Amino acid sequence: MRRPSILSPSFVERIREPGRFGDGRGSAGLSLLVKKTANGRISRSWSQRIRLDGKLTNRGLGSYPEITLAHARRLAVENKRAVAEGRDPFDSGRVPLFREALERVIEIQRDGWRGNTKTEASWRSTMAAYVLPKLGRRRVDHIGSADVMGVLLPIWTSKPETARRVRRRIAAVMKWSQAQGHRGDNPVEAIGAALPKQNGGKAHIRALPHVEVAQAIAKVRTSGAWIGTKLALEFLILTAARSGEVRAARWSEIEMERREWNIPGGKTKSGRPFRVPLSGTAMEVLAKAEKIRDGSGLVFPSVRGLELSDNTLSKLFRDNGIQAVPHGFRSSFRSWASDSGQSRDLAEAALSHAVGDQTERAYARSDMFERRRKMMNDWAAYLTERQTKVIRLRA
């Protein structure tokens, strides 16, 4: 294949010959590096020849096709401009721009997306369409709640599902920025009450935002309801299980030493047995339930030793002014999982949802149990932290 004087998108896509291919004069030192991998495949990555501290050096800019030719050219020009201004564009200690943080989040999440190639494409298309034009060149520590509102408001009521997806993805980038020490808060968490009500489309089960779930648990704990009902609701929230599965849970299904709950296939929606990892907080709930253990075998019996009704759980919410239904806490958990950067497949597995098409499911035999255990521990820790804040505010 003839070596071009200037790279083109078609050349970058088709080139299979190993070597370094420059982008011509005025390209800020950009080149495409083509290599053969150990398994015989072709890898293509971007490199920039740039002067740092008076010395010429080659620095990587990412791999193709994740980084397109146009994107690589923009990065090269910005890096050259940063050097001209006396800054090191490759200094890992600097606060990243939103678009740079987004790339890191996508890179981290990519392992969890394997087998579902549409997920990364969805992230990139929605962020490119609605977020990057407004926030892409902003430092992550310079983005506030008003900036996020500016992104969401134009599509919040006209494209509700897309808007919610965009909100979760912005939150994931902000959460990563918090974890890296680039900012102290997540601006997405503060805008829930300020967004208008979304009308039309599919009716959704009444669910609380995940930031309000800990307060709901606190209300339930201090209510005068039967202890079995209160413990059942807290266990339901901590495990993200279905109401019927919790109300019918039996001590014979609980493995205390292994900290797991084995739901028989006859009780699950899918008809397949399902293992639920139990966090330390969920184990504390079971320890309290031991004190009301009777001859029924139920983990959470009613006052009369019968299985609790779904209406009993819902009534407890209504009596305490909690605007949700038991099943809605699965939605609260799912939103938290997205906002905290958990992989889609892992979150869906925790809800006992089928992931991928029939062929993918035939080969995906693992239930990701230990990874789900860590996630459920994180969910419980998040609720405990939020509840501590609620108690502190009351004091």
Side-chain angles (χ1 to χ4, degrees), residues 289-301:
E290 284 271 12
K291 298 177 181 179
I292 59 170
R293 190 167 182 171
D294 57 18
S296 68
L298 293 167
V299 179
F300 307 108

Side-chain angles (χ1 to χ4, degrees), residues 10-12 28 45 66 91 113 132 147-148 199 218 220 241 246 249 268 272 286 291 307 316 330 338 358 363 373 375:
S10 61
F11 177 86
V12 173
S45 60
E66 287 80 9
D91 181 5
W113 293 338
L132 294 183
D147 301 309
V148 179
N199 297 314
V220 166
V246 172
T268 65
R272 298 186 300 271
L286 291 177
K291 298 177 181 179
E307 182 177 313
L316 180 53
R330 286 166 59 81
S338 294
Q358 188 173 0
Y363 286 96
R373 182 183 294 281
M375 179 172 61

Side-chain angles (χ1 to χ4, degrees), residues 15 33 39 61 91 145 177 189 224 251 287 294 346 349 365:
I15 182 64
L33 186 60
N39 60 8
L61 301 183
D91 181 5
S145 297
S177 301
E189 293 183 353
W251 285 109
D294 57 18
L346 195 62
R365 302 295 176 86

Side-chain angles (χ1 to χ4, degrees), residues 1-129:
M1 194 170 183
R2 190 173 63 85
R3 181 182 294 264
S5 57
I6 298 176
L7 297 178
S8 66
S10 61
F11 177 86
V12 173
E13 181 181 2
R14 291 182 295 164
I15 182 64
R16 296 292 184 273
E17 177 187 346
R20 185 183 294 274
F21 301 87
D23 196 27
R25 292 185 178 181
S27 65
L30 179 67
S31 61
L32 176 69
L33 186 60
V34 182
K35 293 181 178 179
K36 276 190 177 181
T37 63
N39 60 8
R41 296 184 178 181
I42 296 294
S43 73
R44 286 160 287 183
S45 60
W46 301 104
S47 178
Q48 183 177 14
R49 184 77 166 165
I50 193 168
R51 189 176 296 277
L52 297 175
D53 297 325
K55 298 180 180 179
L56 281 173
T57 182
N58 289 310
R59 292 298 181 93
L61 301 183
S63 300
Y64 178 87
E66 287 80 9
I67 304 295
T68 64
L69 173 59
H71 189 178
R73 283 170 172 165
R74 289 196 301 271
L75 290 176
V77 170
E78 290 168 7
N79 292 341
K80 187 173 182 179
R81 183 183 300 120
V83 171
E85 295 171 353
R87 297 182 288 110
D88 183 352
F90 302 98
D91 181 5
S92 60
R94 72 182 181 90
V95 178
L97 305 180
F98 181 91
R99 59 176 173 74
E100 295 170 330
L102 173 63
E103 289 299 326
R104 288 291 297 119
V105 171
I106 290 176
E107 180 181 339
I108 291 169
Q109 300 236 29
R110 188 174 288 126
D111 284 344
W113 293 338
R114 285 178 179 172
N116 187 359
T117 56
K118 294 180 180 179
T119 303
E120 182 173 344
S122 174
W123 268 67
R124 291 191 179 281
S125 64
T126 55
M127 299 304 265

